[in-house]
């Protein structure tokens, strides 16, 4: 039987505290052992969460017969080019939120806000992604990185402001992206919007070529992009290739200046920030001042 979520969350908290103490004491053997226990507890927490979600009744739908949750090690996420058909959603184990976000960001190719990440997952992948679930994700990822270092293949992290290198408000990114791509300069929001449009259009092209008709939500998403790109959409004729061409043409106008701003900020970040800060941002000035006052008391 899967342990209750509350018990697992308490165990995770205890293990992280023990790991912190082991690292401070430079006890590498203990730290290695605790990391293994922490990974097992995180996997058990994910399985317990999946089991809880799977047993929740959906109004208006008949519940499928109960099956034991799929072990985390055996679970695989559908790649961007091969989304799980919508008709099979109820038969699939829930994908962890961080993996849903990772899939959406990989498709978009640039930092994005939770609302867009949710819309992309709903349009192209196997199940809805509730944007409110993303509220604490970045903080959870930061705590995990500070406790385990690079134990995970990727982390959902922050985009960074180009001037202060603090977390860009409301924008998420993927840790394995180059630092330059995670920096937000004066022109970056527009450049990233165009990158998002290209990502959505290319995904629709891949689905069509593979014989999987894109969903109505996918076309609606592409239309929203196209309506805000000159030359991408005319006379109700929505063509992914045209959207890609128009987006790339405009992006070329901003690319040189945007790249220069991002490169300069990324170079400063590498020399001024710790590994954790390069992923999650430097503390905002008011937080740094408050911490400094507390340390002086």
């Amino acid at each position: 039987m899967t342990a209750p979520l509350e018990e697992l969350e308490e165990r995770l908290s205890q293990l992280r505290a023990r790991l912190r103490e082991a690292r401070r004491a430079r006890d590498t053997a203990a730290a290695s052992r605790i990391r293994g226990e922490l990974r097992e507890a995180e996997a058990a927490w994910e399985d317990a969460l999946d089991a809880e979600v799977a047993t929740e009744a959906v109004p208006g739908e008949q519940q499928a017969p109960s099956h034991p949750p799929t072990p985390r090690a055996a679970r695989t996420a559908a790649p961007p080019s091969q989304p799980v058909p919508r008709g099979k959603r109820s038969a699939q184990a829930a994908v962890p939120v961080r993996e849903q976000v990772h899939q959406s960001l990989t498709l978009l190719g640039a930092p994005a806000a939770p609302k867009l990440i949710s819309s992309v997952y709903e349009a192209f992948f196997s199940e809805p992604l509730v944007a409110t679930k993303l509220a604490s994700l970045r903080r959870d990822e930061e705590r995990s990185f500070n406790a385990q270092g690079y134990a995970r293949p990727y982390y959902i992290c922050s985009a960074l402001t180009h001037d202060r290198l603090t977390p860009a408000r409301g924008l998420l990114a993927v840790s394995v992206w180059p630092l330059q791509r995670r920096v937000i300069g004066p022109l970056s929001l527009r450049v990233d919007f165009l990158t998002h449009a290209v990502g959505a259009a290319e995904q629709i092209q891949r689905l069509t070529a593979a014989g999987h008709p894109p969903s109505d939500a996918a076309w609606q998403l592409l239309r929203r992009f196209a309506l805000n790109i000159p030359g991408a959409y005319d006379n109700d004729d929505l063509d992914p290739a045209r959207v890609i061409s128009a987006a790339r043409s405009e992006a070329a106008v901003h690319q040189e200046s945007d790249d220069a701003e991002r490169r300069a900020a990324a170079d400063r970040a590498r020399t001024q920030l710790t590994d954790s800060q390069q992923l999650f941002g430097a503390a905002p000035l008011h937080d740094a001042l408050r911490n400094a006052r507390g340390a002086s008391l």
Side-chain angles (χ1 to χ4, degrees), residues 269-286:
R270 292 187 187 96
T271 59
Q272 297 176 13
L273 303 183
T274 64
D275 286 356
S276 179
Q277 290 173 332
Q278 288 180 38
L279 295 180
F280 301 99
L285 181 59
H286 58 82

Side-chain angles (χ1 to χ4, degrees), residues 30-296:
S32 178
R33 183 180 67 255
I34 295 169
R35 282 196 182 95
E37 294 177 17
L38 190 57
R39 282 193 290 271
E40 291 177 2
E42 286 177 335
W45 184 89
E46 294 284 3
D47 289 338
L49 181 61
D50 290 350
E52 180 180 276
V53 171
T55 56
E56 290 178 355
V58 179
E61 290 186 359
Q62 293 183 344
Q63 280 197 267
S66 177
H67 297 285
T70 304
R72 179 168 175 78
R75 207 179 294 137
T76 56
S81 59
Q82 296 179 343
V84 178
R86 290 172 172 264
K88 297 184 179 180
R89 286 184 180 180
S90 60
Q92 297 289 335
V95 177
V97 170
R98 69 186 303 270
E99 293 183 24
Q100 292 177 319
V101 174
H102 179 250
Q103 289 178 349
S104 290
L105 286 171
T106 299
L107 187 152
L108 289 167
K115 186 175 180 180
L116 177 58
I117 291 169
S118 177
S119 296
V120 167
Y121 200 85
E122 170 69 15
F124 291 110
F125 296 101
S126 60
E127 59 190 21
L129 169 57
V130 181
T132 54
K133 291 184 178 180
L134 277 61
S136 62
L137 177 62
R138 192 203 65 80
R139 292 191 298 273
D140 293 342
E141 293 286 282
E142 183 174 7
R143 282 195 292 268
S144 177
F145 180 84
N146 289 337
Q148 303 180 73
Y150 293 96
R152 291 178 170 179
Y154 67 85
Y155 288 87
I156 303 302
C157 61
S158 303
L160 307 183
T161 58
H162 76 288
D163 48 358
R164 297 186 178 182
L165 303 177
T166 54
R169 186 175 179 84
L171 293 177
L172 298 177
V174 182
S175 62
V176 295
W177 288 349
L179 181 55
Q180 177 178 328
R181 199 196 309 185
R182 295 188 280 108
V183 169
I184 302 298
L187 296 172
S188 300
L189 290 178
R190 182 59 184 175
V191 172
D192 287 350
F193 174 87
L194 298 170
T195 300
H196 298 159
V198 171
E202 289 180 338
Q203 179 67 358
I204 285 178
Q205 287 181 324
R206 285 191 289 267
L207 289 171
T208 303
H212 302 299
S215 67
D216 290 342
W219 286 111
Q220 290 168 7
L221 178 66
L222 185 63
R223 183 175 288 106
R224 292 207 305 271
F225 283 124
L227 288 171
N228 289 281
I229 302 172
Y233 183 56
D234 283 325
N235 301 322
D236 294 329
D237 180 20
L238 187 57
D239 179 8
R242 183 173 183 173
V243 174
I244 292 170
S245 177
R248 286 176 173 166
S249 294
E250 183 184 343
V253 175
H254 309 301
Q255 202 76 54
E256 185 175 353
S257 297
D258 184 56
D259 283 351
E261 288 278 2
R262 286 175 141 164
R263 276 197 302 270
D267 289 342
R268 284 192 295 112
R270 292 187 187 96
T271 59
Q272 297 176 13
L273 303 183
T274 64
D275 286 356
S276 179
Q277 290 173 332
Q278 288 180 38
L279 295 180
F280 301 99
L285 181 59
H286 58 82
D287 288 348
L289 291 173
R290 183 173 64 248
N291 292 339
R293 285 198 297 270
S296 64

